[in-house]
Amino acid sequence: MASSLTRLLWLVVLLGTTQLVSAQTPAAARLPAGDVFVDPQGVLRWQQNKREVALFGVNYTAPFAHAYRASRAVGAEAEKAITQDVYHLARLGVDAFRVHVWDVEITDTLGNLQQNEHLRLLDHLVAQLKQRGIKIILTPIAYWNNGYPEQDSGTGFSSVYSKVQAYTNPRAIRAQENYLTQFLNHRNPYTQQLNREDPDIIAYEVCNEPRYHQPEAAVTAFANKMVAAMRATGYRKPIFYNIAENPEVAEAILAANVDGLTFQWYPSGLVSGHTLRGNFLPYVDQYPIPYRTDPRFQRRAKMVYEFESGDIIQPVMYPFMARSFREAGFQWATQFAYDPMAIAFANTEYQTHYLNLAYTPAKALSLLIAGKVFRQVGRGQTFGRYPVDSVFDAFRVSYRQGLSEMNTDEEFYYTASTTTQPRRANRLRHLAGVGSSPVAQYEGSGAYFLDRLAPGIWRLEVLPDAVPIRDPFETASLQKPVTQILWNEQRLRLSLAELGSRFRLRGLNEGNNAAAQATAGWVSVRPGVYLLAASGKSTGAWTSQSVFGNLRLGEFAAPAPTTLGPQVRHTAVAQATAGQPLLIRATLTGLGAADSVFLLAQHYYGRTLRLPMRRPGYATVEATVPAELTYAGLLCYWIVLKKATGAQLTFPGGFAGSPRDWDYFPRDHWEVPLVGAKTPLYLFSAAADKEQIEARGLHRTTWTEYITTEATGALALRFVQNASKAEEPKPVETGPAASLRVYYADKLLGRQPDVGDFQAVVVKARASQPVGVHLVLATKDAAAFAAPVALTTEWQEVRIPLRAFQPSALLLSPRPYPGFLPLHFQAPAAALRLPDTEVLQLLVEAVAPGAAPLHVDVESIWLH
């Protein structure tokens, strides 16, 4: 009891609270206190009430490696930055935290724990997580050095021993035993608790993604030594061990003295170097585990230590992943990795991941919804296969709308504008969204939260506008912002019956002195926290220090405005049909109320039109070039922002002045070829599209490169395949050896009047020996249609009529990881409609063992 009282007092001091509020808010505020155990059926349960554990959250690495260095480089105050990020995690309902501790930064080569800044910040982070009720699983051994994406500078044992040496070298083993002993016996100076005794550190995973080989006995022996070292400290809670990273020695882990098994999921691969586009929901439709029927597997708890939809910004993946995890029996899942707000503007910490409440609001709310899925869906519960499972329980996921949604009597969350009516609007208690809904019309682009405190009294939190200005998955740099933050005043209309249409608003967060009364439900708000009250309701008892679940009412954290000035993001269509009006739409920031913006469109060396641009939504401008200017030829255009002062900025480039000025010298412009209805439409050109495609070898002996053709010097994509030797003892790899994936829906936009007239696909390609490949067209609903293509040793233009394409399985490429996951998806039967397609795949089949090496060269693919 004394321990419980101490924790309560400590919590009150940390929060600085003056008033407690009875309300149902984030799940972390309602978790049982105390330890967990694994029952004989492999179910992780709370000691306190014996209920099943279901915890969902993130990895977050601010105390270590690049996140630590980059935050210092931008001048962030480490403790404050961590505190703000943990507040956002609590705001998203996160109740689980995991990180692989960079042992290389807190140990010496003998495994002695170093009392340094990295360890201190980890201790601070743990204290902050505990304050919010977020449960923790730590992985003490990372096996990484600390350099990525820079040079390594760590000096601990992981800087000396490789992953293979870590479990085979006696000195490395002793260093790890020493380190685990000291790490578990470390006393956190913020909480005054030993790591091994902290009730909120509910379990440990021994090591992160080890690298093992046969024989299995050495692997089992090493795992048991690590477990024994941890148990020797007196630690009695569950110990997890990675089984997914080395499936070839899974037997060794199943034979080890561990309580739980850990997995990861990267369904779209990693580091494509650009944003992946298209429907990836089939990639996360299920998570079948190969040893799920083994009794040794069944009696262990299951944990997902890392997951992410790499290089995908769509806010639809996480809820599906959470549902698939629950179907597979997982009770813990933590995304990798939540970006620290201080450096999220540039996404330099693992460019293939991007998640932050302020900078990726829709994706962050999809994580909130996924957490609800994970806690609400029963362990082992199934909902059928995609697309019939797009609506399940209280949830809806729509790729076409870019929408994840949760709708219950008391909660309503959405990641994009929706027309869905709340199930019981008069019983709503919590709402969060990006965009608008029937109960909240918002003209900004940031996330907002509404929480009911009492009848007629609500808390409103509004994040700044976040506008993507560059591809966040390209090569990253702290000198290159990818998302712009703007603190605008935006209009908000609430349609909540108990608030009425003339509710009052007052600011709650520090420095926010706003006070207003709504007119017909409309108010103007800037980023911050507000107290809303219906007419006649007194709010005197509510202060910024009042507690609501695991939050204080006045808490607010947001990045400062990005000091970039106006920015334009736009990509011209590849072609447009001549003689047809052409809609040009762009993202434009920094447009004031008194500013104007226009499109300057010019037929090359011909007539020029100055067209006012409309503003259909925040940061969006558009204009329609009339048919009189779209006759066959080349259309060039610029977007010109005219400030209220008279100054002009021209894009692309953001140059001062206008192209009509006599001394405007920049040559930058956008251009669109205007073509006749019978002109081919290129879906893939090796020369033009190499930065926006996914060309992957799927077998060990296959890779890709670019060559030039002998006749014209044109660029071609080459797939190289060296056949494995027949006598090699490795398992035979199945499925295609390599694939090309091209998203082309954007290329259809300018040719919409002609799409119905195309009759065939043409492939210009050759092979080093006669071989067959397959061409696949996939729809927005992931229905695939394939046709064979026969290649010879000569360059040919092979014509495949659209009628030759037959229903087929879709290859899931980039390949999902871990490698035991499905590689194909079969959609329900459908008819091929070219306007509904969006993805092209070219599949190179594997050559027989012992065959001559093969290369396949592809120059271009077009619609005829």
Side-chain angles (χ1 to χ4, degrees):
M1 181 175 294
S3 175
S4 299
L5 180 59
T6 299
R7 293 186 68 236
L8 178 59
L9 291 174
W10 173 68
L11 178 62
V12 171
V13 168
L14 282 174
L15 287 173
T17 60
T18 59
Q19 179 180 3
L20 294 177
V21 178
S22 176
Q24 295 295 311
T25 80
R30 308 190 301 274
L31 291 176
D35 297 334
V36 299
F37 69 99
V38 181
D39 74 12
Q41 287 72 46
V43 180
L44 193 65
R45 297 185 182 277
W46 297 106
Q47 288 279 10
Q48 184 184 50
N49 56 22
K50 306 304 184 286
R51 291 182 179 175
E52 292 189 13
V53 172
L55 298 171
F56 188 88
V58 299
N59 287 249
Y60 169 75
T61 68
F64 302 107
H66 174 79
Y68 170 79
R69 296 189 301 270
S71 294
R72 292 186 67 187
V74 300
E77 182 184 335
E79 292 87 348
K80 180 179 178 182
I82 288 172
T83 301
Q84 290 179 330
D85 285 331
V86 174
Y87 166 69
H88 278 176
L89 295 179
R91 181 68 277 194
L92 290 171
V94 161
D95 57 13
F97 166 81
R98 179 262 181 188
V99 71
H100 54 64
V101 176
W102 268 263
D103 54 273
V104 76
E105 291 189 319
I106 62 170
T107 67
D108 62 16
T109 57
L110 300 178
N112 293 309
L113 193 64
Q114 305 296 294
Q115 302 295 324
N116 60 21
E117 180 77 351
H118 301 291
L119 183 61
R120 186 184 67 80
L121 290 177
L122 176 62
D123 290 336
H124 171 72
L125 172 58
V126 167
Q128 290 295 314
L129 294 166
K130 287 167 63 66
Q131 174 184 334
R132 304 292 182 178
I134 297 172
K135 303 304 180 186
I136 302 163
I137 293 181
L138 295 178
T139 305
I141 303 173
Y143 291 136
W144 303 116
N145 212 311
N146 66 346
Y148 181 88
E150 305 155 84
Q151 295 297 313
D152 292 333
S153 60
T155 57
F157 60 82
S158 287
S159 70
V160 178
Y161 304 108
S162 70
K163 285 190 177 186
V164 173
Q165 291 172 323
Y167 83 99
T168 57
N169 185 304
R171 290 191 296 266
I173 294 171
R174 285 196 297 270
Q176 291 169 89
E177 290 173 320
N178 185 32
Y179 165 59
L180 288 172
T181 300
Q182 294 187 28
F183 187 81
L184 266 65
N185 282 323
H186 170 67
R187 188 175 298 278
N188 186 322
Y190 296 92
T191 67
Q192 293 303 310
Q193 292 175 320
L194 298 178
N195 281 347
R196 61 181 169 85
E197 295 177 344
D198 191 325
D200 293 306
I201 303 178
I202 65 170
Y204 282 90
E205 180 195 28
V206 175
C207 52
N208 182 74
E209 298 181 352
R211 184 64 47 80
Y212 298 141
H213 304 287
Q214 299 284 357
E216 294 171 346
V219 177
T220 304
F222 173 76
N224 287 343
K225 285 181 181 179
M226 297 302 103
V227 171
M230 298 173 74
R231 295 297 186 206
T233 66
Y235 174 77
R236 294 292 176 264
K237 287 182 281 189
I239 296 177
F240 285 78
Y241 212 94
N242 186 304
I243 195 173
E245 189 72 6
N246 303 275
E248 66 275 13
V249 294
E251 284 286 326
I253 307 305
L254 291 172
N257 299 326
V258 298
D259 306 294
L261 303 169
T262 72
F263 295 78
Q264 76 280 67
W265 200 6
Y266 294 116
S268 53
L270 295 171
V271 198
S272 290
H274 59 267
T275 297
L276 295 178
R277 297 177 293 170
N279 186 351
F280 284 89
L281 289 178
Y283 290 58
V284 291
D285 192 45
Q286 56 179 323
Y287 194 97
I289 301 171
Y291 15 85
R292 58 187 177 274
T293 59
D294 191 308
R296 297 168 298 173
F297 174 79
Q298 293 174 345
R299 68 171 182 262
R300 266 63 178 260
K302 291 85 178 172
M303 163 188 169
V304 178
Y305 66 96
E306 292 178 11
F307 71 87
E308 174 62 301
S309 51
D311 302 310
I312 295 174
I313 202 68
Q314 302 168 26
V316 297
M317 300 290 281
Y318 291 156
F320 255 43
M321 296 179 83
R323 187 219 63 218
S324 295
F325 288 146
R326 291 301 280 160
E327 181 179 356
F330 291 107
Q331 295 182 259
W332 173 287
T334 38
Q335 179 269 355
F336 191 94
Y338 187 85
D339 285 81
M341 187 170 66
I343 57 174
F345 70 92
N347 192 32
T348 60
E349 193 205 26
Y350 302 102
Q351 71 181 68
T352 196
H353 309 279
Y354 198 26
L355 176 67
N356 179 273
L357 175 56
Y359 286 90
T360 65
K363 192 174 180 181
L365 287 192
S366 78
L367 185 86
L368 182 156
I369 294 168
K372 299 289 184 179
V373 172
F374 197 82
R375 299 177 202 103
Q376 190 160 314
V377 168
R379 183 173 50 86
Q381 187 175 356
T382 63
F383 294 92
R385 299 271 70 89
Y386 182 79
V388 299
D389 59 352
S390 296
V391 179
F392 59 99
D393 206 277
F395 307 97
R396 181 168 75 96
V397 177
S398 170
Y399 161 70
R400 288 178 179 253
Q401 294 177 268
L403 175 66
S404 294
E405 195 175 79
M406 175 182 178
N407 191 3
T408 69
D409 286 356
E410 296 190 348
E411 297 176 285
F412 187 33
Y413 307 117
Y414 43 90
T415 64
S417 291
T418 178
T419 58
T420 299
Q421 291 286 342
R423 185 178 296 180
R424 299 281 294 275
N426 63 332
R427 293 185 58 182
L428 268 181
R429 297 297 181 265
H430 309 285
L431 180 149
V434 173
S436 295
S437 72
V439 290
Q441 293 176 252
Y442 184 55
E443 297 181 352
S445 64
Y448 53 89
F449 300 82
L450 276 158
D451 297 288
R452 187 180 188 266
L453 307 180
I457 299 177
W458 291 67
R459 179 188 190 264
L460 167 68
E461 181 171 359
V462 180
L463 274 294
D465 294 316
V467 182
I469 57 175
R470 292 185 180 89
D471 189 332
F473 303 118
E474 295 174 349
T475 300
S477 168
L478 288 173
Q479 308 305 313
K480 187 185 78 172
V482 298
T483 303
Q484 189 175 15
I485 295 292
L486 300 108
W487 285 54
N488 297 307
E489 186 170 287
Q490 298 285 11
R491 298 208 316 151
L492 169 69
R493 183 177 186 268
L494 299 178
S495 301
L496 294 168
E498 70 171 39
L499 272 180
S501 62
R502 293 181 57 79
F503 59 85
R504 290 173 291 112
L505 169 152
R506 67 175 172 90
L508 276 179
N509 58 294
E510 183 178 356
N512 184 357
N513 300 314
Q517 184 170 358
T519 301
W522 285 100
V523 290
S524 292
V525 293
R526 286 179 58 80
V529 176
Y530 302 87
L531 193 65
L532 311 181
S535 296
K537 292 287 184 179
S538 173
T539 62
W542 308 89
T543 74
S544 62
Q545 298 302 311
S546 300
V547 174
F548 178 61
N550 58 359
L551 314 175
R552 279 185 289 112
L553 291 190
E555 284 190 272
F556 183 69
T562 311
T563 56
L564 284 177
Q567 299 289 308
V568 169
R569 188 177 187 186
H570 172 70
T571 301
V573 295
Q575 293 178 349
T577 303
Q580 296 290 329
L582 176 62
L583 176 67
I584 293 175
R585 179 179 291 128
T587 297
L588 169 61
T589 64
L591 190 60
D595 299 339
S596 58
V597 59
F598 56 89
L599 182 78
L600 199 62
Q602 179 185 46
H603 203 280
Y604 204 80
Y605 290 136
R607 185 182 176 192
T608 302
L609 290 179
R610 184 177 184 272
L611 304 168
M613 300 195 80
R614 304 177 293 274
R615 307 183 195 181
Y618 173 68
T620 301
V621 293
E622 64 180 25
T624 302
V625 181
E628 62 187 89
L629 200 65
T630 63
Y631 54 92
L634 186 67
L635 179 72
C636 302
Y637 60 94
W638 302 258
I639 293 174
V640 182
L641 169 62
K642 185 174 183 180
K643 303 295 289 182
T645 60
Q648 297 185 97
L649 285 177
T650 294
F651 297 89
F655 299 107
S658 165
R660 285 187 162 182
D661 297 340
W662 72 270
D663 59 350
Y664 186 83
F665 61 86
R667 306 284 294 176
D668 306 61
H669 64 276
W670 290 287
E671 60 184 37
V672 178
L674 302 165
V675 301
K678 294 185 178 181
T679 304
L681 174 60
Y682 279 80
L683 304 181
F684 166 71
S685 165
D689 299 322
K690 57 184 179 297
E691 300 300 327
Q692 294 297 324
I693 62 166
E694 295 80 56
R696 304 288 176 93
L698 300 173
H699 285 191
R700 292 185 300 270
T701 58
T702 306
W703 66 93
T704 62
E705 60 182 3
Y706 283 91
I707 64 161
T708 51
T709 62
E710 297 86 347
T712 65
L715 204 64
L717 173 65
R718 169 167 286 184
F719 296 96
V720 182
Q721 185 179 169
N722 283 335
S724 59
K725 296 179 181 179
E727 66 272 13
E728 282 188 0
K730 295 180 180 179
V732 176
E733 295 180 286
T734 59
S739 73
L740 165 68
R741 180 184 183 274
V742 181
Y743 176 85
Y744 62 80
D746 51 349
K747 295 185 178 184
L748 298 181
L749 292 176
R751 298 290 303 275
Q752 288 184 10
D754 313 327
V755 171
D757 297 329
F758 289 116
Q759 299 297 316
V761 181
V762 180
V763 179
K764 186 173 183 180
R766 70 176 178 186
S768 59
Q769 54 187 285
V771 70
V773 299
H774 281 84
L775 203 63
V776 178
L777 301 179
T779 72
K780 295 179 176 67
D781 298 317
F785 302 84
V789 181
L791 301 182
T792 69
T793 57
E794 301 296 325
W795 283 104
Q796 287 183 298
E797 295 181 0
V798 184
R799 185 177 186 274
I800 308 103
L802 288 178
R803 64 177 179 274
F805 286 82
Q806 299 299 315
S808 175
L810 175 70
L811 176 72
L812 303 184
S813 177
R815 185 173 194 153
Y817 189 81
F820 58 69
L821 293 169
L823 193 56
H824 294 89
F825 169 78
Q826 183 67 62
L832 174 62
R833 293 185 60 258
L834 188 62
D836 202 39
T837 64
E838 63 174 8
V839 167
L840 162 77
Q841 291 182 332
L842 186 141
L843 311 182
V844 180
E845 299 301 324
V847 298
L854 169 72
H855 65 251
V856 173
D857 302 329
V858 185
E859 182 183 311
S860 52
I861 303 172
W862 64 89
L863 289 172
H864 178 74

